């Protein structure tokens, strides 16, 4: 009997064809939804508004046409800022309107895809970090260790497009991130601007993993899949900060989510290894060792036998993750110089609560002629915040985290973000992405939505400030608050109708 070796191929091709047709149908269904189209228009306005001198380095291909058309003038910058504010507002409104429809009328992943498309060729949105990534990759391209040399060591277009402060500091990222930056610079043909845009490639990979695995994890945990998809995969912060801003936080969190998914599927070793790899992208990923160790093996009680078993598993997971981190660091030849740059994010005053309090006290001491005392007080307040952060994370690990390890990770990331010396909006995506998995109360979700909206307003307002359009900064904040108020009112009405329908059914 002669066997046709090509027979097994046909079912696979049919399966692939069926999946492609299903994907096309999902995209078409998403496109037919009015809110999805509105969000896409918002992303398109963000792209157009981002072509402004506030965010474009002069070596970008956009600069000459902008200057030739006179778009670098103040009126043109105001128009660009207005487009950004309108774009963010459209995205937020579309996000709000999708809340009752997601997973009932339209899936989440086509929305993430469609809303991301206009930003792929836009300059980095609301942040200059991608330019610094490219400059650090350029240092490696020239045989210089970014842990020993600041960006300014190599004057030129790579250094010029980075924010001025980061030009004079050494790298704070782990070796795998730096090697990734190096590879993307090579991929971009050593072009400074295109190298910065190339940083979106790993960011898109991270967002894809988040969109694919998070709803599946929610289903495994018995969490609200619709809420997870809505809050964590089509959130405008994900679109604007992780895709638009091209932050390496996207790949870090994508790997963390992958590790959690592997742990839920009893693949302990791969999960622990992935945690180590994620920490080599950005250090906070190391905290994911905790849920990876305890998923499926909860620390049920503080009794001696149960605690010893849990502690051994925790220690083993941490050892594997740290070993991977150390091996990759040593293999890169770059070492651990990032330790000496750990305070670099705190060199600017951000929204970090303890930094804001410290900066306010420093200002008061400066006014009375005691600048040295003011600097000491500011540093003391910051370190107090870090100490409280460590204590609270430890308390969470022994308390809530024993039985709810994913909740531990979400809350710990949020505590770390608010208690650290620097707070940027993309830091909140760490814990925020995992928040729906904790089965939060409506009040907690409402607070998270409010914080998200305020951060988006702050990002748009910051751009307006850079473009000397202060009035638009206040307009952005007012517009976001109005949208938030409307959303809350509409959500209350929907909840009331649902409760009434439930009572009538009984």
């Amino acid at each position: 009997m002669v066997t046709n070796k090509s027979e097994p191929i046909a079912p696979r091709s049919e399966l692939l064809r069926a999946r492609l047709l299903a994907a096309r149908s999902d995209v078409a269904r998403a496109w037919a939804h009015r809110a999805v189209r509105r969000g896409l228009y918002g992303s398109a306005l963000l792209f157009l508004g981002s072509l402004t001198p506030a965010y474009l380095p002069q070596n970008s291909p956009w600069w000459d046409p902008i200057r030739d058309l006179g778009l670098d003038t103040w009126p043109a910058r105001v128009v660009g800022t207005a487009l950004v504010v309108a774009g963010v507002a459209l995205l937020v409104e579309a996000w709000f309107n999708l809340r009752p429809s997601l997973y009932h009328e339209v899936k989440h992943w086509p929305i993430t895809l469609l809303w991301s498309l206009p930003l792929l060729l836009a300059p980095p949105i609301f942040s200059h970090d991608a330019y610094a990534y490219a400059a650090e990759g350029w240092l490696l391209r020239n045989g210089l260790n970014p842990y020993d040399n600041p960006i300014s060591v190599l004057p030129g277009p790579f250094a010029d497009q980075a924010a001025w402060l980061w030009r004079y500091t050494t790298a704070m990222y782990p070796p795998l991130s730096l090697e990734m930056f190096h590879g993307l610079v090579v991929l971009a043909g050593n072009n400074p601007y295109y190298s910065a845009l190339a940083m979106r490639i790993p960011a898109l990979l991270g967002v894809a993993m988040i969109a694919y695995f998070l709803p599946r994890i929610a289903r495994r945990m018995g969490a609200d899949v619709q809420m997870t998809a809505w809050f964590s995969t089509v959130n405008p912060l994900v679109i604007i900060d992780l895709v638009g801003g091209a932050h390496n936080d996207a790949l870090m969190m994508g790997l963390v989510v992958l590790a959690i998914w592997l742990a839920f599927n009893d693949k302990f070793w791969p999960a622990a290894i992935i945690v180590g790899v994620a920490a080599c992208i950005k250090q906070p990923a190391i905290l994911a060792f905790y849920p990876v160790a305890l998923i499926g093996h909860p620390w049920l009680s503080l009794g001696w036998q149960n605690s010893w078993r849990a502690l051994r598993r925790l220690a083993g997971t941490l050892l594997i993750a740290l070993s991977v981190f150390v091996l990759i660091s040593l293999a890169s030849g770059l070492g651990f110089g990032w330790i000496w740059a750990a305070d670099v994010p705190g060199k600017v005053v951000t929204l970090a609560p303890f930094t804001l309090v410290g900066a306010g006290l420093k200002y008061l001491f400066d006014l009375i002629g005691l600048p040295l005392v003011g600097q000491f007080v500011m540093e003391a307040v910051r370190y107090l915040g870090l100490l409280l952060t460590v204590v609270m994370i430890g308390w969470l690990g022994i308390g809530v985290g024993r039985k709810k390890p994913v909740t531990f990770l979400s809350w710990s990331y949020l505590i770390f973000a608010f208690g650290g010396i620097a707070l940027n909006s993309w830091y909140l995506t760490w814990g925020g992405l995992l928040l729906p998995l904790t089965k939060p109360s409506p009040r907690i979700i409402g607070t998270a939505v409010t914080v998200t909206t305020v951060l988006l307003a702050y990002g748009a307002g910051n751009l307006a400030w850079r473009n000397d359009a202060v009035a638009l900064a206040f307009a952005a904040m007012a517009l976001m608050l109005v949208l938030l108020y409307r959303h809350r009112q509409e959500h209350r009405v929907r909840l009331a109708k649902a409760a009434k329908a439930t009572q009538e059914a009984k």
Side-chain angles (χ1 to χ4, degrees):
M1 180 178 178
V2 179
T3 302
N4 186 352
K5 295 183 179 180
S6 64
E7 284 181 358
I9 299 176
R12 291 178 188 168
S13 63
E14 288 297 321
L15 180 61
L16 177 61
R17 183 171 179 273
R19 287 180 175 176
L20 290 175
L21 288 174
R24 187 175 70 177
S25 175
D26 289 342
V27 172
R29 192 177 296 112
W31 177 250
H33 201 286
R34 183 180 179 185
V36 176
R37 294 198 303 273
R38 188 173 298 176
L40 178 64
Y41 301 151
S43 291
L45 289 180
L46 264 175
F47 164 66
L48 293 174
S50 68
L51 304 179
T52 168
Y55 276 102
L56 276 175
Q58 295 194 25
N59 60 359
S60 76
W62 301 104
W63 189 263
D64 286 339
I66 284 174
R67 186 165 46 193
D68 293 342
L69 294 172
L71 298 180
D72 57 339
T73 60
W74 181 78
R77 292 202 305 270
V78 171
V79 171
T81 304
L83 291 176
V84 167
V85 172
V88 173
L90 278 176
L91 265 175
V92 171
E93 185 188 19
W95 182 49
F96 288 163
N97 288 333
L98 278 169
R99 186 169 184 175
S101 307
L102 200 66
Y103 261 68
H104 297 304
E105 300 174 15
V106 60
K107 291 185 178 179
H108 67 285
W109 72 264
I111 304 171
T112 306
L113 173 66
L114 290 170
W115 288 3
S116 298
L117 285 177
L119 301 180
L120 298 185
L121 296 179
I125 304 293
F126 292 176
S127 168
H128 281 101
D129 281 9
Y131 297 121
Y133 298 169
E136 287 168 349
W138 181 240
L139 286 177
L140 275 174
R141 181 70 171 144
N142 286 272
L144 297 173
N145 190 332
Y147 295 147
D148 300 324
N149 301 278
I151 292 169
S152 59
V153 165
L154 285 180
F158 275 94
D160 290 345
Q161 68 180 9
W164 69 269
L165 178 63
W166 311 135
R167 298 176 197 173
Y168 305 100
T169 59
T170 53
M172 68 190 90
Y173 303 110
L176 189 57
S177 262
L178 296 179
E179 292 292 358
M180 181 176 69
F181 301 158
H182 178 199
L184 292 170
V185 168
V186 174
L187 181 66
N190 302 321
N191 180 285
Y193 181 72
Y194 294 135
S195 295
L197 293 193
M199 301 302 156
R200 284 209 175 96
I201 296 174
L204 288 170
L205 177 60
V207 170
M209 287 190 284
I210 290 165
Y212 183 83
F213 290 112
L214 263 185
R216 286 167 169 78
I217 294 172
R219 187 173 288 112
R220 289 289 294 270
M221 294 180 64
D224 189 333
V225 178
Q226 181 190 16
M227 175 59 66
T228 303
W230 178 76
F231 188 80
S232 302
T233 68
V234 299
N235 191 314
L237 272 183
V238 172
I239 305 300
I240 294 174
D241 276 341
L242 299 189
V243 177
H247 292 285
N248 60 350
D249 305 68
L251 183 57
M252 178 195 81
M253 283 308 301
L255 291 171
V256 166
V257 169
L258 171 60
I260 293 173
W261 172 249
L262 291 172
F264 270 109
N265 285 275
D266 297 322
K267 297 179 179 178
F268 168 74
W269 284 93
I273 291 170
I274 291 295
V275 170
V277 174
C280 281
I281 297 296
K282 204 160 185 177
Q283 298 89 335
I286 199 67
L287 267 180
F289 88 92
Y290 193 97
V292 163
L294 296 186
I295 287 173
H297 303 81
W299 186 355
L300 295 175
S301 71
L302 292 174
W304 182 87
Q305 187 174 4
N306 190 264
S307 294
W308 176 244
R309 189 183 301 115
L311 290 172
R312 278 192 306 172
R313 193 170 177 86
L314 285 167
T317 310
L318 181 59
L319 180 61
I320 293 169
L322 287 177
S323 297
V324 171
F325 182 89
V326 170
L327 287 173
I328 291 176
S329 299
L330 294 176
S332 71
L334 296 174
F336 304 92
W338 55 267
I339 294 173
W340 312 114
D343 65 335
V344 165
K347 291 186 180 296
V348 294
V349 177
T350 61
L351 294 174
F354 286 96
T355 294
L356 289 175
V357 171
L361 293 173
K362 181 180 182 301
Y363 177 74
L364 293 177
F365 279 106
D366 287 347
L367 287 178
I368 61 176
L370 297 172
L372 293 179
V373 175
Q375 185 63 36
F376 174 81
V377 170
M378 181 175 179
E379 294 301 323
V381 171
R382 280 179 160 181
Y383 282 113
L384 174 63
L386 291 175
L387 176 62
L388 291 175
T389 296
V390 172
V391 170
M392 291 181 69
I393 290 176
W395 177 78
L396 275 176
I398 297 174
V400 174
R402 290 191 297 109
K403 298 179 182 179
K404 299 178 179 180
V406 176
T407 298
F408 160 83
L409 186 61
S410 175
W411 291 2
S412 294
Y413 276 151
L414 291 172
I415 291 170
F416 183 83
F418 282 105
I421 60 175
L423 172 60
N424 294 301
S425 55
W426 50 94
Y427 293 1
L428 293 180
T429 61
W430 309 344
L433 291 173
L434 304 175
L435 188 62
L437 303 181
T438 69
K439 302 177 184 178
S441 66
R443 179 173 294 181
I444 291 176
I445 282 294
T447 302
V449 170
T450 299
V451 171
T452 298
T453 307
V454 170
L455 288 173
L456 289 165
Y458 175 81
N462 189 39
L463 173 66
W465 192 280
R466 289 170 181 261
N467 268 336
D468 298 324
V470 179
L472 283 175
F474 289 105
M477 182 63 74
L479 181 58
M480 298 302 165
L481 292 178
V482 168
L483 290 175
L484 178 63
Y485 175 77
R486 283 180 52 192
H487 168 68
R488 287 196 159 187
Q489 294 298 105
E490 292 170 358
H491 188 57
R492 287 194 186 100
V493 170
R494 284 196 296 266
L495 289 177
K497 287 182 178 178
K500 184 178 180 181
T502 303
Q503 289 178 352
E504 289 176 351
K506 290 180 179 179

